[in-house]
Amino acid sequence: MLLFDKSKFLGQVAFELLGVAVDPAQIFFSLAVVEEGKIQAILVWTDYRPLHDVWWTIISFDKRWCTRRNLRVFFRMAFDDLKLKCVRAMTKVHNQQANSLLTRLGFENEGCLKAFYKTNTKNGPVYDDGVVYCLKSSTACALRAGA
């Protein structure tokens, strides 16, 4: 089951769990994947620019959220319902599982932000973040709208 949250609460919780400070005004909405009464993942849509693009941030508690059905819903919302041209995401460069999933879904590498992500702890580690994108027109987008 997908839970739609326009109130921005789930998005704020997701970023807090990630240890990232974000302005609530940046959050467009969030979707929670709920199975057996538990949240498996939260997909936060941020920095929405109508008819152009949006950024996705996913926090996952259980790998079972990542089904073709859920992914098709996410892409259809972006490309069909919101008429976006592009979905963007950032991931830690060293997170091979996330990078592999994004590649399989048709996301392409856009660049790397050096020392971009720092945990909220005083002397926490600093990470490089990779920026990826998926265009509606991309034939590589495995779950694009209409596919």
Side-chain angles (χ1 to χ4, degrees):
M1 169 174 67
L2 296 177
L3 174 67
F4 180 81
D5 175 35
K6 184 70 173 163
S7 74
K8 303 182 182 194
F9 174 75
L10 282 174
Q12 290 173 310
V13 168
F15 282 114
E16 190 173 305
L17 289 170
L18 289 171
V20 177
V22 67
D23 179 356
Q26 290 178 275
I27 300 171
F28 182 48
F29 67 84
S30 304
L31 289 169
V33 179
V34 180
E35 294 294 333
E36 300 172 7
K38 295 181 181 175
I39 294 178
Q40 292 183 336
I42 301 171
L43 173 65
V44 187
W45 301 54
T46 59
D47 300 307
Y48 170 70
R49 295 189 305 163
L51 302 177
H52 194 270
D53 67 351
V54 70
W55 286 81
W56 281 355
T57 301
I58 298 172
I59 182 168
S60 174
F61 307 104
D62 187 322
K63 293 179 186 177
R64 291 178 293 174
W65 74 270
C66 190
T67 64
R68 290 188 72 79
R69 183 184 145 271
N70 287 340
L71 292 167
R72 281 189 190 277
V73 169
F74 300 157
F75 278 99
R76 285 190 175 132
M77 287 179 76
F79 294 140
D80 289 346
D81 299 341
L82 297 174
K83 308 286 188 228
L84 298 176
K85 297 175 186 162
C86 182
V87 173
R88 287 182 163 68
M90 287 190 343
T91 181
K92 292 181 192 80
V93 171
H94 69 272
N95 187 341
Q96 293 303 318
Q97 271 188 311
N99 293 324
S100 176
L101 171 63
L102 291 166
T103 299
R104 286 193 315 271
L105 292 175
F107 282 82
E108 297 179 45
N109 187 37
E110 190 162 5
C112 181
L113 301 170
K114 295 291 187 183
F116 181 79
Y117 174 77
K118 183 180 186 321
T119 59
N120 281 344
T121 59
K122 185 175 182 180
N123 294 314
V126 177
Y127 300 102
D128 294 345
D129 267 4
V131 178
V132 295
Y133 69 95
C134 185
L135 297 174
K136 179 179 181 176
S137 61
S138 171
T139 56
C141 184
L143 295 165
R144 70 185 182 281

